[in-house]
PDB file of all heavy atoms in Angstrom:
ATOM      1  N   ALA I   1     -14.193   3.931   8.160  1.00 97.00           N
ATOM      2  CA  ALA I   1     -15.056   4.569   9.065  1.00 97.00           C
ATOM      3  C   ALA I   1     -15.791   3.494   9.824  1.00 97.00           C
ATOM      4  O   ALA I   1     -15.992   3.511  11.016  1.00 97.00           O
ATOM      5  CB  ALA I   1     -15.855   5.528   8.438  1.00 97.00           C
ATOM      6  N   LYS I   2     -16.328   2.470   9.089  1.00 97.00           N
ATOM      7  CA  LYS I   2     -17.040   1.346   9.691  1.00 97.00           C
ATOM      8  C   LYS I   2     -16.193   0.639  10.718  1.00 97.00           C
ATOM      9  O   LYS I   2     -16.715   0.121  11.825  1.00 97.00           O
ATOM     10  CB  LYS I   2     -17.546   0.407   8.715  1.00 97.00           C
ATOM     11  CG  LYS I   2     -18.717   0.993   7.795  1.00 97.00           C
ATOM     12  CD  LYS I   2     -19.176  -0.131   6.794  1.00 97.00           C
ATOM     13  CE  LYS I   2     -20.361   0.424   5.975  1.00 97.00           C
ATOM     14  NZ  LYS I   2     -20.736  -0.629   4.944  1.00 97.00           N
ATOM     15  N   ALA I   3     -14.830   0.380  10.407  1.00 97.00           N
ATOM     16  CA  ALA I   3     -14.008  -0.408  11.198  1.00 97.00           C
ATOM     17  C   ALA I   3     -13.408   0.429  12.366  1.00 97.00           C
ATOM     18  O   ALA I   3     -12.952  -0.140  13.354  1.00 97.00           O
ATOM     19  CB  ALA I   3     -12.903  -1.023  10.417  1.00 97.00           C
ATOM     20  N   GLY I   4     -13.503   1.625  12.337  1.00 97.00           N
ATOM     21  CA  GLY I   4     -12.865   2.516  13.359  1.00 97.00           C
ATOM     22  C   GLY I   4     -11.453   2.803  13.112  1.00 97.00           C
ATOM     23  O   GLY I   4     -10.694   3.084  14.019  1.00 97.00           O
ATOM     24  N   ILE I   5     -11.073   2.801  11.796  1.00 98.00           N
ATOM     25  CA  ILE I   5      -9.732   3.136  11.409  1.00 98.00           C
ATOM     26  C   ILE I   5      -9.725   4.576  10.819  1.00 98.00           C
ATOM     27  O   ILE I   5     -10.713   5.022  10.188  1.00 98.00           O
ATOM     28  CB  ILE I   5      -9.327   2.129  10.254  1.00 98.00           C
ATOM     29  CG1 ILE I   5      -9.256   0.706  10.793  1.00 98.00           C
ATOM     30  CG2 ILE I   5      -7.966   2.530   9.743  1.00 98.00           C
ATOM     31  CD1 ILE I   5      -9.083  -0.370   9.742  1.00 98.00           C
ATOM     32  N   ASP I   6      -8.576   5.360  10.983  1.00 98.00           N
ATOM     33  CA  ASP I   6      -8.560   6.670  10.402  1.00 98.00           C
ATOM     34  C   ASP I   6      -8.607   6.577   8.961  1.00 98.00           C
ATOM     35  O   ASP I   6      -7.701   5.996   8.322  1.00 98.00           O
ATOM     36  CB  ASP I   6      -7.201   7.209  10.935  1.00 98.00           C
ATOM     37  CG  ASP I   6      -7.030   8.575  10.307  1.00 98.00           C
ATOM     38  OD1 ASP I   6      -8.034   9.408  10.154  1.00 98.00           O
ATOM     39  OD2 ASP I   6      -5.935   8.997   9.813  1.00 98.00           O
ATOM     40  N   PRO I   7      -9.634   7.136   8.319  1.00 98.00           N
ATOM     41  CA  PRO I   7      -9.778   7.032   6.825  1.00 98.00           C
ATOM     42  C   PRO I   7      -8.639   7.776   6.086  1.00 98.00           C
ATOM     43  O   PRO I   7      -8.166   7.121   5.058  1.00 98.00           O
ATOM     44  CB  PRO I   7     -11.117   7.753   6.541  1.00 98.00           C
ATOM     45  CG  PRO I   7     -11.859   7.711   7.829  1.00 98.00           C
ATOM     46  CD  PRO I   7     -10.831   7.754   8.945  1.00 98.00           C
ATOM     47  N   ALA I   8      -8.218   8.854   6.583  1.00 98.00           N
ATOM     48  CA  ALA I   8      -7.093   9.547   5.857  1.00 98.00           C
ATOM     49  C   ALA I   8      -5.781   8.812   5.993  1.00 98.00           C
ATOM     50  O   ALA I   8      -5.050   8.647   5.006  1.00 98.00           O
ATOM     51  CB  ALA I   8      -6.909  10.966   6.452  1.00 98.00           C
ATOM     52  N   GLY I   9      -5.596   8.163   7.088  1.00 98.00           N
ATOM     53  CA  GLY I   9      -4.397   7.340   7.211  1.00 98.00           C
ATOM     54  C   GLY I   9      -4.401   6.170   6.397  1.00 98.00           C
ATOM     55  O   GLY I   9      -3.313   5.858   5.720  1.00 98.00           O
ATOM     56  N   LEU I  10      -5.542   5.533   6.240  1.00 98.00           N
ATOM     57  CA  LEU I  10      -5.632   4.294   5.423  1.00 98.00           C
ATOM     58  C   LEU I  10      -5.440   4.714   3.919  1.00 98.00           C
ATOM     59  O   LEU I  10      -4.771   4.061   3.079  1.00 98.00           O
ATOM     60  CB  LEU I  10      -6.959   3.681   5.546  1.00 98.00           C
ATOM     61  CG  LEU I  10      -7.134   2.375   4.827  1.00 98.00           C
ATOM     62  CD1 LEU I  10      -6.124   1.288   5.211  1.00 98.00           C
ATOM     63  CD2 LEU I  10      -8.605   1.735   5.038  1.00 98.00           C
ATOM     64  N   ARG I  11      -6.056   5.823   3.559  1.00 98.00           N
ATOM     65  CA  ARG I  11      -5.804   6.304   2.180  1.00 98.00           C
ATOM     66  C   ARG I  11      -4.440   6.532   1.754  1.00 98.00           C
ATOM     67  O   ARG I  11      -3.983   6.193   0.779  1.00 98.00           O
ATOM     68  CB  ARG I  11      -6.718   7.528   1.971  1.00 98.00           C
ATOM     69  CG  ARG I  11      -6.504   8.250   0.540  1.00 98.00           C
ATOM     70  CD  ARG I  11      -6.843   7.453  -0.586  1.00 98.00           C
ATOM     71  NE  ARG I  11      -8.296   7.118  -0.724  1.00 98.00           N
ATOM     72  CZ  ARG I  11      -8.741   6.340  -1.756  1.00 98.00           C
ATOM     73  NH1 ARG I  11      -7.817   5.790  -2.600  1.00 98.00           N
ATOM     74  NH2 ARG I  11     -10.060   6.077  -1.841  1.00 98.00           N
ATOM     75  N   ALA I  12      -3.718   7.157   2.741  1.00 98.00           N
ATOM     76  CA  ALA I  12      -2.306   7.588   2.524  1.00 98.00           C
ATOM     77  C   ALA I  12      -1.397   6.269   2.368  1.00 98.00           C
ATOM     78  O   ALA I  12      -0.578   6.093   1.596  1.00 98.00           O
ATOM     79  CB  ALA I  12      -1.864   8.381   3.557  1.00 98.00           C
ATOM     80  N   THR I  13      -1.829   5.310   3.289  1.00 98.00           N
ATOM     81  CA  THR I  13      -1.044   4.018   3.182  1.00 98.00           C
ATOM     82  C   THR I  13      -1.285   3.219   1.883  1.00 98.00           C
ATOM     83  O   THR I  13      -0.293   2.790   1.290  1.00 98.00           O
ATOM     84  CB  THR I  13      -1.645   3.095   4.410  1.00 98.00           C
ATOM     85  OG1 THR I  13      -1.088   3.698   5.660  1.00 98.00           O
ATOM     86  CG2 THR I  13      -1.008   1.754   4.266  1.00 98.00           C
ATOM     87  N   VAL I  14      -2.447   3.194   1.481  1.00 98.00           N
ATOM     88  CA  VAL I  14      -2.758   2.545   0.122  1.00 98.00           C
ATOM     89  C   VAL I  14      -2.092   3.209  -0.996  1.00 98.00           C
ATOM     90  O   VAL I  14      -1.518   2.557  -1.852  1.00 98.00           O
ATOM     91  CB  VAL I  14      -4.218   2.468  -0.012  1.00 98.00           C
ATOM     92  CG1 VAL I  14      -4.594   1.895  -1.402  1.00 98.00           C
ATOM     93  CG2 VAL I  14      -4.816   1.465   0.987  1.00 98.00           C
ATOM     94  N   GLU I  15      -2.169   4.595  -1.003  1.00 98.00           N
ATOM     95  CA  GLU I  15      -1.565   5.300  -2.102  1.00 98.00           C
ATOM     96  C   GLU I  15       0.078   5.103  -2.106  1.00 98.00           C
ATOM     97  O   GLU I  15       0.630   4.986  -3.152  1.00 98.00           O
ATOM     98  CB  GLU I  15      -1.923   6.677  -1.987  1.00 98.00           C
ATOM     99  CG  GLU I  15      -3.373   7.148  -2.235  1.00 98.00           C
ATOM    100  CD  GLU I  15      -3.691   8.577  -2.131  1.00 98.00           C
ATOM    101  OE1 GLU I  15      -2.787   9.323  -1.632  1.00 98.00           O
ATOM    102  OE2 GLU I  15      -4.823   8.976  -2.528  1.00 98.00           O
ATOM    103  N   ALA I  16       0.566   5.120  -0.948  1.00 98.00           N
ATOM    104  CA  ALA I  16       2.136   4.805  -0.885  1.00 98.00           C
ATOM    105  C   ALA I  16       2.455   3.363  -1.465  1.00 98.00           C
ATOM    106  O   ALA I  16       3.340   3.200  -2.102  1.00 98.00           O
ATOM    107  CB  ALA I  16       2.642   5.110   0.505  1.00 98.00           C
ATOM    108  N   HIS I  17       1.609   2.511  -0.987  1.00 98.00           N
ATOM    109  CA  HIS I  17       1.724   1.057  -1.445  1.00 98.00           C
ATOM    110  C   HIS I  17       1.586   0.979  -2.863  1.00 98.00           C
ATOM    111  O   HIS I  17       2.511   0.316  -3.591  1.00 98.00           O
ATOM    112  CB  HIS I  17       0.680   0.351  -0.741  1.00 98.00           C
ATOM    113  CG  HIS I  17       0.565  -1.141  -1.134  1.00 98.00           C
ATOM    114  ND1 HIS I  17       1.535  -2.142  -0.991  1.00 98.00           N
ATOM    115  CD2 HIS I  17      -0.384  -1.760  -1.911  1.00 98.00           C
ATOM    116  CE1 HIS I  17       1.165  -3.251  -1.523  1.00 98.00           C
ATOM    117  NE2 HIS I  17       0.033  -3.015  -2.102  1.00 98.00           N
ATOM    118  N   ASN I  18       0.565   1.508  -3.459  1.00 98.00           N
ATOM    119  CA  ASN I  18       0.266   1.476  -4.915  1.00 98.00           C
ATOM    120  C   ASN I  18       1.369   2.133  -5.752  1.00 98.00           C
ATOM    121  O   ASN I  18       1.803   1.664  -6.793  1.00 98.00           O
ATOM    122  CB  ASN I  18      -1.075   1.894  -5.220  1.00 98.00           C
ATOM    123  CG  ASN I  18      -2.289   1.112  -4.790  1.00 98.00           C
ATOM    124  OD1 ASN I  18      -1.991  -0.052  -4.448  1.00 98.00           O
ATOM    125  ND2 ASN I  18      -3.459   1.624  -4.865  1.00 98.00           N
ATOM    126  N   THR I  19       1.767   3.287  -5.257  1.00 98.00           N
ATOM    127  CA  THR I  19       2.858   4.104  -5.925  1.00 98.00           C
ATOM    128  C   THR I  19       4.208   3.358  -5.953  1.00 98.00           C
ATOM    129  O   THR I  19       4.815   3.355  -6.995  1.00 98.00           O
ATOM    130  CB  THR I  19       3.014   5.467  -5.273  1.00 98.00           C
ATOM    131  OG1 THR I  19       1.726   6.103  -5.334  1.00 98.00           O
ATOM    132  CG2 THR I  19       4.119   6.191  -5.947  1.00 98.00           C
ATOM    133  N   ALA I  20       4.528   2.626  -4.858  1.00 98.00           N
ATOM    134  CA  ALA I  20       5.693   1.814  -4.825  1.00 98.00           C
ATOM    135  C   ALA I  20       5.633   0.747  -5.925  1.00 98.00           C
ATOM    136  O   ALA I  20       6.708   0.476  -6.659  1.00 98.00           O
ATOM    137  CB  ALA I  20       5.969   1.259  -3.548  1.00 98.00           C
ATOM    138  N   ILE I  21       4.574   0.104  -6.140  1.00 98.00           N
ATOM    139  CA  ILE I  21       4.367  -0.918  -7.149  1.00 98.00           C
ATOM    140  C   ILE I  21       4.461  -0.324  -8.575  1.00 98.00           C
ATOM    141  O   ILE I  21       5.179  -0.875  -9.378  1.00 98.00           O
ATOM    142  CB  ILE I  21       2.986  -1.608  -6.947  1.00 98.00           C
ATOM    143  CG1 ILE I  21       2.990  -2.408  -5.703  1.00 98.00           C
ATOM    144  CG2 ILE I  21       2.842  -2.565  -8.183  1.00 98.00           C
ATOM    145  CD1 ILE I  21       1.711  -3.090  -5.314  1.00 98.00           C
ATOM    146  N   GLU I  22       3.791   0.802  -8.723  1.00 97.00           N
ATOM    147  CA  GLU I  22       3.780   1.456 -10.110  1.00 97.00           C
ATOM    148  C   GLU I  22       5.233   1.880 -10.556  1.00 97.00           C
ATOM    149  O   GLU I  22       5.609   1.803 -11.710  1.00 97.00           O
ATOM    150  CB  GLU I  22       2.843   2.573 -10.077  1.00 97.00           C
ATOM    151  CG  GLU I  22       1.356   2.192  -9.964  1.00 97.00           C
ATOM    152  CD  GLU I  22       0.465   3.403  -9.678  1.00 97.00           C
ATOM    153  OE1 GLU I  22       0.965   4.556  -9.599  1.00 97.00           O
ATOM    154  OE2 GLU I  22      -0.772   3.176  -9.403  1.00 97.00           O
ATOM    155  N   THR I  23       6.002   2.331  -9.513  1.00 97.00           N
ATOM    156  CA  THR I  23       7.294   3.010  -9.820  1.00 97.00           C
ATOM    157  C   THR I  23       8.476   1.994  -9.717  1.00 97.00           C
ATOM    158  O   THR I  23       9.569   2.356 -10.066  1.00 97.00           O
ATOM    159  CB  THR I  23       7.453   4.178  -8.988  1.00 97.00           C
ATOM    160  OG1 THR I  23       7.602   3.752  -7.567  1.00 97.00           O
ATOM    161  CG2 THR I  23       6.504   5.316  -9.176  1.00 97.00           C
ATOM    162  N   GLY I  24       8.151   0.865  -9.221  1.00 96.00           N
ATOM    163  CA  GLY I  24       9.139  -0.095  -8.883  1.00 96.00           C
ATOM    164  C   GLY I  24      10.033   0.163  -7.752  1.00 96.00           C
ATOM    165  O   GLY I  24      11.130  -0.370  -7.571  1.00 96.00           O
ATOM    166  N   ALA I  25       9.509   1.053  -6.833  1.00 97.00           N
ATOM    167  CA  ALA I  25      10.256   1.348  -5.644  1.00 97.00           C
ATOM    168  C   ALA I  25      10.095   0.252  -4.550  1.00 97.00           C
ATOM    169  O   ALA I  25       9.143  -0.567  -4.704  1.00 97.00           O
ATOM    170  CB  ALA I  25       9.698   2.644  -5.039  1.00 97.00           C
ATOM    171  N   PRO I  26      10.874   0.193  -3.598  1.00 97.00           N
ATOM    172  CA  PRO I  26      10.808  -0.865  -2.546  1.00 97.00           C
ATOM    173  C   PRO I  26       9.457  -0.690  -1.802  1.00 97.00           C
ATOM    174  O   PRO I  26       8.960   0.418  -1.658  1.00 97.00           O
ATOM    175  CB  PRO I  26      11.927  -0.622  -1.619  1.00 97.00           C
ATOM    176  CG  PRO I  26      12.992   0.178  -2.432  1.00 97.00           C
ATOM    177  CD  PRO I  26      12.194   1.004  -3.470  1.00 97.00           C
ATOM    178  N   ASP I  27       8.845  -1.801  -1.399  1.00 97.00           N
ATOM    179  CA  ASP I  27       7.676  -1.705  -0.599  1.00 97.00           C
ATOM    180  C   ASP I  27       7.957  -0.969   0.737  1.00 97.00           C
ATOM    181  O   ASP I  27       8.952  -1.111   1.299  1.00 97.00           O
ATOM    182  CB  ASP I  27       7.207  -3.152  -0.267  1.00 97.00           C
ATOM    183  CG  ASP I  27       5.927  -3.156   0.621  1.00 97.00           C
ATOM    184  OD1 ASP I  27       4.927  -2.919   0.054  1.00 97.00           O
ATOM    185  OD2 ASP I  27       6.076  -3.556   1.845  1.00 97.00           O
ATOM    186  N   PRO I  28       6.976  -0.168   1.181  1.00 97.00           N
ATOM    187  CA  PRO I  28       7.209   0.720   2.374  1.00 97.00           C
ATOM    188  C   PRO I  28       7.674  -0.123   3.606  1.00 97.00           C
ATOM    189  O   PRO I  28       8.303   0.487   4.466  1.00 97.00           O
ATOM    190  CB  PRO I  28       5.879   1.441   2.556  1.00 97.00           C
ATOM    191  CG  PRO I  28       5.402   1.454   1.067  1.00 97.00           C
ATOM    192  CD  PRO I  28       5.755   0.247   0.426  1.00 97.00           C
ATOM    193  N   VAL I  29       7.209  -1.359   3.755  1.00 97.00           N
ATOM    194  CA  VAL I  29       7.595  -2.077   4.881  1.00 97.00           C
ATOM    195  C   VAL I  29       8.590  -3.299   4.531  1.00 97.00           C
ATOM    196  O   VAL I  29       8.758  -4.155   5.386  1.00 97.00           O
ATOM    197  CB  VAL I  29       6.349  -2.625   5.700  1.00 97.00           C
ATOM    198  CG1 VAL I  29       5.545  -1.417   6.251  1.00 97.00           C
ATOM    199  CG2 VAL I  29       5.545  -3.517   4.918  1.00 97.00           C
ATOM    200  N   GLY I  30       9.001  -3.263   3.287  1.00 97.00           N
ATOM    201  CA  GLY I  30      10.045  -4.222   2.883  1.00 97.00           C
ATOM    202  C   GLY I  30       9.537  -5.538   2.411  1.00 97.00           C
ATOM    203  O   GLY I  30      10.272  -6.504   2.252  1.00 97.00           O
ATOM    204  N   LYS I  31       8.246  -5.629   2.034  1.00 98.00           N
ATOM    205  CA  LYS I  31       7.780  -6.898   1.522  1.00 98.00           C
ATOM    206  C   LYS I  31       8.317  -7.114   0.135  1.00 98.00           C
ATOM    207  O   LYS I  31       8.430  -6.228  -0.771  1.00 98.00           O
ATOM    208  CB  LYS I  31       6.227  -6.905   1.424  1.00 98.00           C
ATOM    209  CG  LYS I  31       5.638  -8.206   0.977  1.00 98.00           C
ATOM    210  CD  LYS I  31       4.227  -8.341   1.325  1.00 98.00           C
ATOM    211  CE  LYS I  31       3.296  -7.239   0.762  1.00 98.00           C
ATOM    212  NZ  LYS I  31       1.896  -7.467   1.142  1.00 98.00           N
ATOM    213  N   PRO I  32       8.795  -8.355  -0.177  1.00 97.00           N
ATOM    214  CA  PRO I  32       9.266  -8.704  -1.540  1.00 97.00           C
ATOM    215  C   PRO I  32       8.261  -8.251  -2.645  1.00 97.00           C
ATOM    216  O   PRO I  32       7.101  -8.510  -2.353  1.00 97.00           O
ATOM    217  CB  PRO I  32       9.650 -10.099  -1.475  1.00 97.00           C
ATOM    218  CG  PRO I  32       9.864 -10.409   0.064  1.00 97.00           C
ATOM    219  CD  PRO I  32       8.876  -9.492   0.745  1.00 97.00           C
ATOM    220  N   ALA I  33       8.801  -7.821  -3.725  1.00 96.00           N
ATOM    221  CA  ALA I  33       7.944  -7.385  -4.803  1.00 96.00           C
ATOM    222  C   ALA I  33       7.098  -8.411  -5.315  1.00 96.00           C
ATOM    223  O   ALA I  33       5.924  -8.061  -5.808  1.00 96.00           O
ATOM    224  CB  ALA I  33       8.722  -6.807  -6.024  1.00 96.00           C
ATOM    225  N   GLU I  34       7.418  -9.652  -5.362  1.00 96.00           N
ATOM    226  CA  GLU I  34       6.603 -10.701  -5.937  1.00 96.00           C
ATOM    227  C   GLU I  34       5.360 -10.985  -5.099  1.00 96.00           C
ATOM    228  O   GLU I  34       4.429 -11.647  -5.508  1.00 96.00           O
ATOM    229  CB  GLU I  34       7.414 -12.000  -6.121  1.00 96.00           C
ATOM    230  CG  GLU I  34       7.811 -12.735  -4.936  1.00 96.00           C
ATOM    231  CD  GLU I  34       9.279 -12.371  -4.607  1.00 96.00           C
ATOM    232  OE1 GLU I  34       9.786 -11.222  -4.890  1.00 96.00           O
ATOM    233  OE2 GLU I  34      10.083 -13.221  -4.006  1.00 96.00           O
ATOM    234  N   PHE I  35       5.335 -10.426  -3.912  1.00 97.00           N
ATOM    235  CA  PHE I  35       4.086 -10.693  -3.016  1.00 97.00           C
ATOM    236  C   PHE I  35       3.241  -9.342  -2.948  1.00 97.00           C
ATOM    237  O   PHE I  35       2.155  -9.459  -2.315  1.00 97.00           O
ATOM    238  CB  PHE I  35       4.551 -11.094  -1.579  1.00 97.00           C
ATOM    239  CG  PHE I  35       5.245 -12.396  -1.530  1.00 97.00           C
ATOM    240  CD1 PHE I  35       6.611 -12.440  -1.140  1.00 97.00           C
ATOM    241  CD2 PHE I  35       4.613 -13.567  -1.903  1.00 97.00           C
ATOM    242  CE1 PHE I  35       7.224 -13.662  -1.102  1.00 97.00           C
ATOM    243  CE2 PHE I  35       5.280 -14.787  -1.808  1.00 97.00           C
ATOM    244  CZ  PHE I  35       6.613 -14.880  -1.445  1.00 97.00           C
ATOM    245  N   THR I  36       3.582  -8.334  -3.596  1.00 97.00           N
ATOM    246  CA  THR I  36       2.856  -7.097  -3.473  1.00 97.00           C
ATOM    247  C   THR I  36       1.654  -7.151  -4.500  1.00 97.00           C
ATOM    248  O   THR I  36       1.799  -7.779  -5.632  1.00 97.00           O
ATOM    249  CB  THR I  36       3.738  -5.797  -3.709  1.00 97.00           C
ATOM    250  OG1 THR I  36       4.310  -5.973  -5.039  1.00 97.00           O
ATOM    251  CG2 THR I  36       4.752  -5.810  -2.681  1.00 97.00           C
ATOM    252  N   ASN I  37       0.713  -6.566  -4.189  1.00 96.00           N
ATOM    253  CA  ASN I  37      -0.536  -6.561  -4.937  1.00 96.00           C
ATOM    254  C   ASN I  37      -1.228  -5.142  -4.874  1.00 96.00           C
ATOM    255  O   ASN I  37      -1.591  -4.751  -3.684  1.00 96.00           O
ATOM    256  CB  ASN I  37      -1.472  -7.680  -4.516  1.00 96.00           C
ATOM    257  CG  ASN I  37      -2.641  -7.926  -5.548  1.00 96.00           C
ATOM    258  OD1 ASN I  37      -2.295  -8.544  -6.611  1.00 96.00           O
ATOM    259  ND2 ASN I  37      -3.786  -7.579  -5.203  1.00 96.00           N
ATOM    260  N   PRO I  38      -1.475  -4.439  -5.969  1.00 97.00           N
ATOM    261  CA  PRO I  38      -2.139  -3.159  -5.766  1.00 97.00           C
ATOM    262  C   PRO I  38      -3.560  -3.266  -5.221  1.00 97.00           C
ATOM    263  O   PRO I  38      -4.280  -4.254  -5.552  1.00 97.00           O
ATOM    264  CB  PRO I  38      -2.180  -2.562  -7.221  1.00 97.00           C
ATOM    265  CG  PRO I  38      -2.097  -3.830  -8.101  1.00 97.00           C
ATOM    266  CD  PRO I  38      -1.222  -4.884  -7.315  1.00 97.00           C
TER     267      PRO I  38
END
């Protein structure tokens, strides 16, 4: 909200990112697993 970013959109992006790490699924934009960080 402070930055002018859609809060719901950011929350959904972070949850999809974290879930991919937890389940071992590919990163949503294709980043190699060794560079991902929850």
Side-chain angles (χ1 to χ4, degrees):
K2 288 181 179 179
I5 298 172
D6 176 40
L10 185 62
R11 169 62 69 182
T13 290
V14 170
E15 289 180 352
H17 168 74
N18 289 347
T19 298
I21 295 175
E22 292 168 1
T23 61
D27 179 74
V29 297
K31 182 159 63 177
E34 64 264 36
F35 296 114
T36 59
N37 194 75

